Amino acid sequence: MYKILTICLIAVFLTNTAMAAKPGRQQPDPKKLELNWYVYENNYQGKDQTLNGLSIRNTGADALPATGWKIYFNSIKRMSALTADARFVVKHINGDFYMLSPGKDFKGLASGQQIEWKYLSAGWVVNESECPHGFYLVWDDAEDTGFAMNDPLIHALPEDKMSRFKGDKELTPAQLFALNQRAGTASAAQRIFPKPLSYKENAGFYTLSASGSIIADQAFAVEAELLNDDLKLLFGKKFKVANTGQRAALRLQKDNSLMEDEYKLSVSAAGILISGKSAREIHYGLQSLKVLIDPLTPATKVQNIKLKYVEVQDRPRFGFRGVMLDVARNFQPKQEILKLIDLLSLYKLTTLHLHLNDDEGWRLQIKALPELTDVGANRGHTLDEQERLMPSYGSGPVQGVNSGSGYYSRQDFIDILKYAARRHINVIPEIETPGHARAAVVSMQARYRKFMKAGDTLKAREYLLRDLADTSLYHSVQQWNDHVIDPSLPSAYRFLETVSDEIIDMYAQAAAPLETIHFGGDEVPAGVWTGSPSVNAFKKLHPEIKQTADLWDYFFGRLSDMLQKKGLFLSGWEETALRKSAENPRRWMPNPLFLDKNFRVNVWNNMSGNEDLAYRLANSGYKVILSFVTNFYFDMAYIRQFDEPGFNWGGLINIEQSFKFIPFDYLRNQHTDYVNRPLPASMLSSFEHLTAAGQKNVAGLQGLLWSETVKTPERLEYMYLPRLLALSERAWSPSPQWAAEKDSVKAKIYYEKDWARFSHSVSREMRRLDSYAGGYQYRIPTPAIRIRGAQAEANTDLPGFAIRYTTDGSLPDSKSSLYVKPVTASKNLRFRAFNTLGRGGKVAHP
């Protein structure tokens, strides 16, 4: 819930009050303490680490004193001092949260002075998303108040220090330019997207005018209503709608001869006919009709629209076609969720999987447990996390002013479910357990303390998720050390059933379909539960529980049984269906225990020796959704450029990385790791391929957008578009010719032709998305530059964007010179691509 204005005013009042409360001390303005982040060298000393620097420059009039203050901030990279430095004490608190305080050798920072702390960070730094952020200052004598600082000025890696490892190679600008040329200049765009099963154009055009009408079977009344809403946007008025009649511009007609999910679309002199056996098939046909319209048409009110005569018969390749959105790390408002549903609907996806909780946030109101949103939905400065969670991902000291805080009320969520159901989008709720659950764990501990203070021990312990006497030592991938639910506690199951029952009730209130609840099951670190007195007592009562893996099986077995009694099945990440190999702890093996439980598992891990994991699970009998990090993680950066946002631990994922995916034979074009190092031949030969029986267990494909670096609706849209279109194509359209061709020369020819068709089609859809549903802030491609002698050439990986340039080093804008032929190369040359609205992308220079 964004109550931004009110809370901002409160924050300003508190800041001014706190600053004015100490007249005896001259305090520097935190905004005058300029921060600078320097990235000096990747692969520092030949190790998997980066040398960084963090400096403070005092630009104000008052000195920063030698003692009496702390600076808090977030860093997704683990930090350690380069050398012993007694000027500073840097402490890891939890998760990505750190504290910097003055050490014994810090003498204060006078006006105009600058001081730097050099440190090492784990792994490589590839772009600015890995910058520490969310800095704020706290005075020791006012520890309950934090004062926001400006985020650091970023100083990128020197070009010669960017290599992540010896032999690190990226495509040169000239190679990227050559790759971009494959699309060609002549438009090969298809009129319907994603590519349909059967499409035929006939001579002629049908004119759809504002005086048109709709005839729709009664079963398709909702579809007719939504169609009419779209027509009103085009024509400025709605069409007349009837259930019967002889003549109409548009007819929605039942046809029981068609298969499930199959539709027909006919545009002829007689008008427009869409047929299917149910409302869902009619919906698919209507989306094809919408994209058949010229993409620039929605930008204006018209009197008539010309539509090419076509005959289309179409159905999807996979029944499950989804997108997962993480709203826990950083929250997105309800309106942005509705806008995403509009997009999923237009491109014929079936599912929105909402990741509603994680270590850093709980985002759904549960009436029985108000602490989940009172505490778990808010982040800000805190001494005890009784009222809010500690800051994460740069959310800063004040709750409620950014995406670190927020939640969906029951009514919000019911509204989302209703909106999705009308557009044939299923919403899967995910409640992450037992790991990635810190927001819930901390919220229930706050509840415990509240009721203990009131003297109600029974109520205090009713929903506890951790044994408070647990001494287990562990650290998650995200550096948390207290975020895992204890599976030995009866209160944990009481909590999860209470949450499940309220979720089920919300679906019932919305009259929305619900088949499954996703219970996570991802990334539980080694060392959990070893120091839990509750677990030790539980083992004595259950001699079959001998190790952590047995607790895991007990936990998910019990959750599955609970859901089955409610008529649902359990979904989870792949680890819910796995056990580690006794011979190789890094290799996962299918767990036979749950094969008869109808689990559905999202497999994201296709790295580090587990490249064939999805096939092994499908072959063993598990229902699998291919959700691969190296193809469909939309939080990964598109390209390797320092100002390009996103993570890179799973590789760099441009739209072609998603497009070239072969669902039933993805090992065919996965011969390198995520940084393009060749996989050993012995590993490639040992991979298990998908069997005919296994193919039947591949339910579909899913794109995923984790939100650690996604703090605004604009950044959200940038990250999933245009990559979502490649997901839609691969999940809906028939398997392309190049994917089955065994002759590598022929396969390449087929592929290049198909890529040209697809890239032009995507560009066509981008023009539509400039205005559709209010317009989307998709990523505009960054030009690639080729230098030939004294001349510079530029192009983009997707055609159809205007490239403009300047020669004086200034930022090109929509009025800069239009690039139409090679120009003289110089160090001050700048290129930038623009869409039809004049919005520009990122700048490229030689």
Side-chain angles (χ1 to χ4, degrees):
M1 317 286 288
Y2 283 125
K3 299 181 177 68
I4 296 176
L5 179 59
T6 301
I7 295 175
C8 280
L9 291 172
I10 292 171
V12 170
F13 171 78
L14 289 174
T15 299
N16 290 339
T17 301
M19 293 291 280
K22 304 172 185 64
R25 183 180 67 200
Q26 290 297 111
Q27 295 175 330
D29 179 353
K31 297 286 188 180
K32 298 291 187 180
L33 297 175
E34 180 190 274
L35 298 165
N36 286 267
W37 179 55
Y38 303 91
V39 189
Y40 290 116
E41 186 175 355
N42 273 328
N43 196 34
Y44 182 66
Q45 296 179 337
K47 299 177 182 178
D48 184 11
Q49 60 186 9
T50 301
L51 176 63
N52 306 263
L54 183 65
S55 77
I56 306 173
R57 186 168 74 93
N58 189 348
T59 66
D62 298 314
L64 179 66
T67 59
W69 56 268
K70 299 178 181 68
I71 291 175
Y72 294 88
F73 62 97
N74 299 108
S75 172
I76 60 170
K77 295 285 190 179
R78 288 189 175 94
M79 308 172 80
S80 60
L82 174 63
T83 58
D85 189 341
R87 298 174 302 167
F88 300 108
V89 176
V90 178
K91 178 184 177 183
H92 173 237
I93 298 173
N94 208 346
D96 71 340
F97 197 39
Y98 285 80
M99 180 188 74
L100 182 149
S101 59
K104 64 182 181 65
D105 289 351
F106 181 70
K107 306 303 181 186
L109 196 65
S111 176
Q113 285 188 331
Q114 179 168 328
I115 192 168
E116 182 179 4
W117 176 62
K118 287 192 175 180
Y119 69 94
L120 299 175
S121 61
W124 310 306
V125 171
V126 172
N127 61 34
E128 62 185 24
S129 291
E130 294 161 312
C131 174
H133 53 164
F135 288 79
Y136 65 93
L137 186 144
V138 173
W139 298 107
D140 289 357
D141 58 1
E143 289 190 321
D144 59 346
T145 305
F147 301 95
M149 304 170 68
N150 292 323
D151 275 336
L153 302 174
I154 296 173
H155 304 268
L157 275 161
E159 288 290 332
D160 62 337
K161 300 294 184 181
M162 286 191 69
S163 293
R164 296 164 292 181
F165 50 87
K166 187 177 181 180
D168 185 15
K169 291 183 180 179
E170 287 293 319
L171 292 174
T172 66
Q175 290 171 323
L176 288 172
F177 182 94
L179 283 174
N180 293 348
Q181 288 181 306
R182 295 173 300 158
T185 54
S187 176
Q190 66 205 34
R191 293 181 189 267
I192 291 180
F193 190 95
K195 183 180 180 181
L197 180 66
S198 172
Y199 175 87
K200 181 185 177 184
E201 291 188 356
N202 296 317
F205 290 86
Y206 177 75
T207 300
L208 182 65
S209 70
S211 60
S213 60
I214 302 169
I215 293 177
D217 291 359
Q218 186 59 42
F220 308 143
V222 171
E223 286 63 42
E225 181 182 347
L226 291 174
L227 169 61
N228 228 344
D229 290 341
D230 290 325
L231 292 172
K232 184 178 180 181
L233 293 175
L234 295 172
F235 293 103
K237 58 178 286 189
K238 289 189 175 185
F239 283 24
K240 294 179 181 179
V241 181
N243 300 133
T244 59
Q246 296 300 314
R247 296 184 61 82
L250 294 125
R251 184 182 291 271
L252 312 182
Q253 181 173 290
K254 191 175 184 65
D255 185 345
N256 286 322
S257 70
L258 295 176
M259 297 170 60
E260 183 178 353
D261 285 344
E262 185 176 35
Y263 72 90
K264 285 184 178 179
L265 166 64
S266 172
V267 180
S268 67
I272 300 165
L273 173 64
I274 297 173
S275 52
K277 68 188 304 180
S278 78
R280 183 170 67 245
E281 289 81 14
I282 296 297
H283 165 78
Y284 292 150
L286 287 171
Q287 306 320 301
S288 289
L289 174 63
K290 284 158 68 173
V291 298
L292 188 62
I293 297 170
D294 185 281
L296 295 180
T297 303
T300 58
K301 295 288 192 298
V302 296
Q303 291 301 308
N304 53 66
I305 294 172
K306 283 191 171 184
L307 295 169
K308 183 67 178 170
Y309 287 171
V310 297
E311 298 293 330
V312 179
Q313 187 163 354
D314 196 13
R315 61 179 179 270
R317 184 180 184 190
F318 292 103
F320 184 101
R321 307 178 299 280
V323 166
M324 188 285 305
L325 176 61
D326 166 19
V327 293
R329 271 61 175 270
N330 280 295
F331 182 71
Q332 291 289 337
K334 182 180 79 171
Q335 196 57 43
E336 189 62 22
I337 303 302
L338 302 184
K339 196 175 176 186
L340 175 56
I341 290 169
D342 286 333
L343 193 73
L344 302 184
S345 173
L346 180 64
Y347 294 116
K348 305 188 184 82
L349 281 84
T350 62
T351 305
L352 174 60
H353 167 175
L354 284 175
H355 185 80
L356 292 166
N357 74 297
D358 214 292
D359 299 319
E360 302 85 2
W362 181 283
R363 306 304 185 186
L364 179 63
Q365 181 186 14
I366 302 297
K367 287 195 300 184
L369 301 167
E371 298 82 6
L372 286 172
T373 44
D374 290 346
V375 178
N378 294 298
R379 297 203 298 256
H381 180 62
T382 175
L383 301 178
D384 57 9
E385 294 191 296
Q386 185 63 24
E387 296 179 345
R388 65 188 67 87
L389 304 178
M390 65 179 65
S392 293
Y393 304 118
S395 54
V398 181
Q399 77 175 53
V401 298
N402 56 40
S403 57
S405 300
Y407 68 92
Y408 306 114
S409 69
R410 275 180 59 89
Q411 190 57 54
D412 287 337
F413 195 62
I414 289 169
D415 291 345
I416 289 169
L417 295 176
K418 287 180 176 179
Y419 194 87
R422 283 170 61 83
R423 290 154 181 79
H424 299 277
I425 300 296
N426 298 318
V427 178
I428 293 179
E430 181 185 353
I431 304 301
E432 180 73 77
T433 62
H436 284 282
R438 189 175 188 274
V441 170
V442 171
S443 297
M444 292 303 96
Q445 287 173 179
R447 183 183 189 277
Y448 168 85
R449 290 190 293 268
K450 179 178 70 176
F451 283 110
M452 286 298 289
K453 187 176 181 179
D456 193 339
T457 302
L458 187 64
K459 206 166 185 64
R461 303 190 70 86
E462 188 177 11
Y463 293 107
L464 267 180
L465 300 178
R466 262 183 96 233
D467 186 334
L468 298 178
D470 191 347
T471 59
S472 303
L473 297 176
Y474 59 86
H475 279 91
S476 71
V477 174
Q478 291 79 20
Q479 306 182 67
W480 295 108
N481 59 26
D482 59 354
H483 71 308
V484 182
I485 293 172
D486 190 326
S488 69
L489 292 173
S491 52
Y493 301 97
R494 187 178 302 115
F495 171 87
L496 291 169
E497 185 153 19
T498 297
V499 170
S500 297
D501 285 343
E502 288 211 23
I503 288 174
I504 291 168
D505 180 64
M506 285 183 243
Y507 277 79
Q509 293 292 321
L514 178 65
E515 297 180 325
T516 184
I517 295 177
H518 196 294
F519 273 120
D522 191 36
E523 294 183 328
V524 171
V528 296
W529 308 318
T530 54
S532 166
S534 176
V535 166
N536 292 332
F538 186 79
K539 286 181 177 179
K540 291 177 182 178
L541 296 175
H542 295 269
E544 73 277 13
I545 305 292
K546 297 181 173 20
Q547 56 184 337
T548 299
D550 299 327
L551 277 170
W552 183 267
D553 291 346
Y554 175 86
F555 180 76
F556 281 104
R558 189 161 168 177
L559 290 184
S560 176
D561 291 344
M562 181 262 288
L563 288 181
Q564 285 186 339
K565 290 175 183 176
K566 301 176 189 298
L568 306 175
F569 62 84
L570 186 144
S571 293
W573 302 107
E574 70 249 21
E575 291 177 45
T576 58
L578 294 172
R579 279 204 162 200
K580 286 187 176 178
S581 165
E583 294 78 24
N584 180 2
R586 294 190 67 186
R587 185 171 173 82
W588 292 92
M589 304 298 292
N591 185 351
L593 187 64
F594 300 129
L595 280 171
D596 62 346
K597 296 287 189 180
N598 192 32
F599 278 24
R600 182 174 283 183
V601 293
N602 293 88
V603 182
W604 67 263
N605 186 358
N606 64 322
M607 300 169 60
S608 306
N610 290 297
E611 281 78 358
D612 63 343
L613 180 57
Y615 287 172
R616 287 188 278 124
L617 279 166
N619 291 343
S620 74
Y622 280 104
K623 296 294 182 184
V624 166
I625 298 167
L626 304 179
S627 313
F628 288 172
V629 59
T630 62
N631 301 90
F632 299 120
Y633 262 40
F634 297 156
D635 54 309
M636 297 294 122
Y638 284 87
I639 60 173
R640 188 174 171 185
Q641 184 170 309
F642 204 82
D643 63 350
E644 184 70 42
F647 284 157
N648 60 83
W649 62 266
L652 302 171
I653 302 177
N654 60 18
I655 189 172
E656 189 170 1
Q657 187 69 10
S658 302
F659 171 79
K660 72 180 184 181
F661 184 70
I662 306 174
F664 289 163
D665 193 15
Y666 64 79
L667 295 170
R668 177 177 176 179
N669 58 11
Q670 186 172 342
H671 294 159
T672 62
D673 68 8
Y674 74 104
V675 289
N676 296 319
R677 292 175 295 201
L679 295 175
S682 59
M683 181 183 289
L684 291 169
S685 64
S686 70
F687 287 152
E688 185 174 323
H689 290 262
L690 190 64
T691 63
Q695 285 189 19
K696 297 177 182 178
N697 289 322
V698 176
L701 310 183
Q702 181 163 285
L704 307 96
L705 182 47
W706 301 101
S707 66
E708 291 97 326
T709 67
V710 181
K711 300 179 182 180
T712 64
E714 293 78 15
R715 174 60 60 83
L716 177 71
E717 294 169 9
Y718 180 101
M719 298 306 285
Y720 67 63
L721 283 172
R723 290 182 286 202
L724 185 144
L725 298 186
L727 168 71
S728 168
E729 171 95 2
R730 201 49 62 232
W732 176 279
S733 302
S735 181
Q737 186 178 13
W738 52 264
E741 178 57 58
K742 301 302 181 185
D743 185 312
S744 60
V745 175
K746 289 182 179 178
K748 188 174 188 302
I749 293 171
Y750 297 150
Y751 179 87
E752 300 297 356
K753 181 179 179 181
D754 200 31
W755 169 251
R757 185 266 318 165
F758 174 77
S759 60
H760 280 276
S761 300
V762 168
S763 294
R764 184 176 191 267
E765 292 309 303
M766 292 298 97
R767 291 192 288 276
R768 185 185 318 281
L769 296 178
D770 284 331
S771 59
Y772 188 80
Y776 293 82
Q777 300 294 302
Y778 56 81
R779 179 182 183 271
I780 294 172
T782 303
I785 302 171
R786 180 171 67 181
I787 304 297
R788 282 184 161 182
Q791 298 291 297
E793 301 170 276
N795 63 11
T796 54
D797 59 348
L798 293 175
F801 292 90
I803 299 176
R804 296 185 180 275
Y805 68 95
T806 58
T807 57
D808 59 359
S810 63
L811 178 72
D813 60 26
S814 59
K815 295 182 175 58
S816 298
S817 299
L818 181 67
Y819 172 80
V820 292
K821 63 180 181 179
V823 297
T824 302
S826 74
K827 66 177 183 179
N828 290 324
L829 185 61
R830 300 291 184 268
F831 290 104
R832 191 180 180 202
F834 291 83
N835 69 1
T836 55
L837 300 180
R839 182 169 66 87
K842 294 191 179 297
V843 176
H845 59 86

